[in-house]
Amino acid sequence: MSSNAAATPPPLERISTGTPGLDEIMGGGLLKSGVYIFQGAPGAGKTILANQIVHRHAADGGKVVYVTLLAESHARLLQHMGAFAFFDPSVVPQKIYYVSAFNALRTEGLKGVVNLLRNEMRTRPAGLVVLDGLVMAASAARSDEELKLFVSDIQTHSTLSGCTTLLLTSEQADRPVSAEQTMVDGIVLLRETALGVRRERNIEVVKFRGSATLRGNHAFRIGPQGIVVYPRLESRRPAHGDAPAPEGVSTGVAALDRMFDIGGYAKGSVTALSGASGSGKTTLALHFLAPATPAEKALFVGFYESPQMLRRIAGMLGVRLPADASTLDFMWHTLGENMLDEVAANILERVARNRPARLVIDGVGGLMVAPAFQHRGGSFLAALTNELRALGTTTLVTVEQDDAKRALVLDSATMSALADTVLDMRLKMEPSVRRFISIRKSRVSRCELHERELVLTESGLAVAEEPTIGS
C-alpha cells in the first residue's frame, strides 16, 4: 500500500433519507453521527419529512428515538402520519420509539432534556434520533451560550453513540443566522412560497459539512406517498450521451423527409416546430408518431388535448396512429398547477424506462405557464433537452409564435439552446388560409431551404414538391 493510499481517510458513512430526490440534493444522504437542523415555518412539512425518514430507517432495519418537546400528543401525531403510505404502525414502538420531553423541559430545563436524550441513546441502540421542537429549547435557554452548550451536548452524544440527529425547529426559514446554526453539521430549510394565488413548496440545503450538495431551491410536493423532492434540473450533474447522429428518422411525411439529405430528423436530436396557432404543429407531430412500431416506440407529452381527443384528431385528418398503447404512449399534463421540475422528472423517468425512439412535447407553452419558467426558461429547456439527447431519443418540441407578429415566444438564445433543427411554419390568411413550412436551421444535416406549402390530403399533411415562395 502506498503512503498516499494509507493517508486517505475512508469515505464518510451515510444514512439514506428514503425521500425521493433528497439524497441527491444532499450529495448522497445524511452523514452518520451528524447533527442537522431542519427549519421551516409551521406547515412547511418538517414533521412529515422527519417521520418519512425515520420510517424508511426502520424499514431498513434501523432503530429510531423520536423525542418531542411539543404539547401535541403522540396519538394525534401518529393519526396524522397514518395518512401517508410510508407510515407503518407495526414498527411502533419496537423500532420507532416516540417519547415526550415536554415535562423534562418544563421541570428541569435543557439539562433535563439532555439527560433524557442520553438515557434513550444509551438504552436503545438507535441509529437515528429526532428532536422535534428545537424552538421550545431555544425559548427555554437563558442565553445563546446555554443553547450552544445544549447543542454541543447533543453533538457529543451523537458522536459517541454513532447516532445521526435531526433537530426540527419552526423558526422561519429565512431568519438571520442563529447561535445553534453555527454548530451543527448541516441546515435544511423548508419553505412555502406564494406565487400569485398558488403556493409552491421548496427545500434548500444551505449548509452540509463534508458533502457536495446541489445548491439553491428545489421544489417538493407532499402527496399520499409522503414527500417527493424534485432537484432543480439545471443544478443536477449533467448526463453525457452521444451527439445527434447523421442518420435520418422519418418525419412521417415523405416529401418533408426529402428536404433533409439524411432523410428526416437526425437520430437523437431535438427539433423545434415553431408556428402560430393553427399552423399545423400538432398535426405534423402526430405524423412523426405514426411510424412507431413495437421495436421503436413513441411517446407524446401533451398539455392541451387529451389522448382520446388526439386520436380523434388524427383519425379525422387521416393520420394513422398505432393503436397499441405499448407502442404509442401518451402523457397528459393538464394546464393545472404544474411544477417545472416535476414535469421534467416525469418525462425523463418515462423516457428512461420505456426508451421511446420518438418523443413529442406539445408544447413549450405548457411549461411556460409554470411560475418558475420566468426566471429559468432558457437554462431549464437547455438542461431538459440535453438529458433527452443523452437518452438517445429523437425529440420534437412545438413552440408557439405570436399570431400577429410571428414573433417566437422564446428568445433566440433559448431557441439555440433548445433545438438542433428548427422548422418554421407560417399561415397565409388571404384570400384563404394556407400553410407553409421551411427549415430555418439544421446543425446536423444539409437540407432544402426553400419554403414549401403544406396541404391537407385524405392521408394527412403533405408537402408540395415545388417551392411556392411568392405564391
Side-chain angles (χ1 to χ4, degrees):
M1 182 181 295
S2 70
S3 58
N4 286 337
T8 302
L12 296 168
E13 189 174 345
R14 292 183 182 269
I15 295 176
S16 172
T17 64
T19 303
L22 186 54
D23 286 357
E24 182 179 353
I25 291 173
M26 292 179 167
L30 300 163
L31 294 177
K32 186 177 180 181
S33 304
V35 177
Y36 300 91
I37 288 179
F38 282 38
Q39 181 172 322
K46 302 180 300 299
T47 301
I48 295 172
L49 180 57
N51 276 276
Q52 187 169 342
I53 292 171
V54 303
H55 275 268
R56 167 58 188 271
H57 190 69
D60 289 342
K63 292 194 174 182
V64 179
V65 174
Y66 197 110
V67 182
T68 62
L69 287 171
L70 310 174
E72 180 185 24
S73 73
H74 291 156
R76 192 69 171 167
L77 172 65
L78 298 183
Q79 283 179 325
H80 292 160
M81 293 304 112
F84 297 103
F86 63 74
F87 180 74
D88 178 8
S90 70
V91 300
V92 181
Q94 286 79 15
K95 290 187 175 180
I96 303 177
Y97 185 74
Y98 289 87
V99 59
S100 173
F102 182 74
N103 287 332
L105 178 66
R106 189 176 59 178
T107 57
E108 304 175 57
L110 296 182
K111 184 178 179 182
V113 177
V114 170
N115 288 335
L116 184 146
L117 284 170
R118 183 188 298 128
N119 290 335
E120 295 297 343
M121 288 179 178
R122 184 185 301 127
T123 56
R124 305 176 195 281
L128 195 57
V129 166
V130 176
L131 180 63
D132 192 349
L134 181 62
V135 68
M136 296 290 291
S139 63
R142 288 165 293 188
S143 65
D144 284 351
E145 289 303 315
E146 185 178 7
L147 182 59
K148 291 170 73 172
L149 182 61
F150 172 71
V151 174
S152 176
D153 285 340
I154 291 175
Q155 285 180 310
T156 300
H157 295 308
S158 294
T159 302
L160 292 176
S161 62
C163 179
T164 302
T165 302
L166 310 183
L167 307 176
L168 312 188
T169 177
S170 56
E171 294 278 5
Q172 291 289 338
D174 296 310
R175 73 162 189 163
V177 174
S178 57
E180 66 274 19
Q181 287 182 330
T182 64
M183 304 180 64
V184 296
D185 299 295
I187 302 171
V188 179
L189 304 181
L190 292 87
R191 303 185 183 88
E192 188 175 49
T193 305
L195 302 167
V197 296
R198 62 180 285 189
R199 304 185 76 84
E200 196 167 289
R201 299 177 188 272
N202 67 72
I203 189 168
E204 181 180 14
V205 180
V206 295
K207 175 182 177 182
F208 203 116
R209 291 171 176 157
S211 189
T213 59
L214 298 184
R215 306 295 289 174
N217 291 322
H218 308 273
F220 73 89
R221 191 183 291 280
I222 300 176
Q225 303 299 315
I227 286 178
V228 177
V229 179
Y230 299 97
R232 203 174 69 262
L233 192 59
E234 307 93 290
S235 72
R236 301 175 70 177
R237 286 89 181 168
H240 298 286
D242 292 335
E247 176 184 343
V249 176
S250 175
T251 65
V253 178
L256 182 57
D257 286 348
R258 290 193 286 272
M259 293 176 69
F260 297 91
D261 70 345
I262 57 175
Y265 307 130
K267 186 176 183 179
S269 69
V270 177
T271 297
L273 302 179
S274 72
S277 176
S279 60
K281 300 186 297 299
T282 301
T283 305
L284 201 56
L286 292 173
H287 273 282
F288 177 61
L289 303 177
T293 66
E296 293 193 344
K297 300 175 183 177
L299 171 63
F300 186 102
V301 179
F303 297 92
Y304 309 110
E305 299 91 352
S306 68
Q308 295 78 9
M309 180 173 289
L310 284 167
R311 284 194 175 277
R312 283 200 295 271
I313 291 171
M316 178 181 67
L317 297 175
V319 180
R320 301 183 63 180
L321 296 178
D324 183 4
S326 65
T327 300
L328 174 55
D329 189 13
F330 289 92
M331 286 181 68
W332 184 33
H333 286 272
T334 56
L335 287 177
E337 298 193 351
N338 291 324
M339 298 190 300
L340 273 185
D341 296 300
E342 181 181 25
V343 174
N346 290 341
I347 294 173
L348 293 173
E349 186 277 331
R350 187 76 71 93
V351 171
R353 174 159 46 92
N354 295 343
R355 292 288 177 180
R358 297 164 180 262
L359 169 66
V360 169
I361 300 177
D362 186 29
V364 166
L367 300 169
M368 293 178 67
V369 297
F373 192 91
Q374 179 182 355
H375 304 289
R376 300 170 49 197
S379 57
F380 169 81
L381 290 176
L384 176 60
T385 52
N386 282 338
E387 294 287 332
L388 292 172
R389 289 187 189 94
L391 290 167
T393 188
T394 304
T395 303
L396 284 191
V397 182
T398 64
V399 181
E400 293 75 12
Q401 287 180 352
D402 180 275
D403 287 13
K405 300 178 181 176
R406 295 193 64 217
L408 287 172
V409 295
L410 300 178
D411 58 39
S412 297
T414 300
M415 281 295 287
S416 181
L418 169 70
D420 305 296
T421 302
V422 178
L423 273 61
D424 193 12
M425 307 177 72
R426 76 175 176 94
L427 288 169
K428 184 178 179 182
M429 306 301 291
E430 297 294 341
S432 60
V433 176
R434 297 170 67 186
R435 298 177 176 85
F436 295 85
I437 189 169
S438 60
I439 303 174
R440 189 199 314 173
K441 160 190 162 183
S442 179
R443 287 184 182 137
V444 190
S445 66
R446 297 173 65 87
C447 54
E448 165 64 60
L449 297 178
H450 289 103
E451 187 178 59
R452 303 292 184 87
E453 183 170 8
L454 283 171
V455 293
L456 185 60
T457 70
E458 290 184 353
S459 56
L461 288 174
V463 177
E465 291 290 348
E466 296 298 327
T468 55
I469 293 176
S471 60

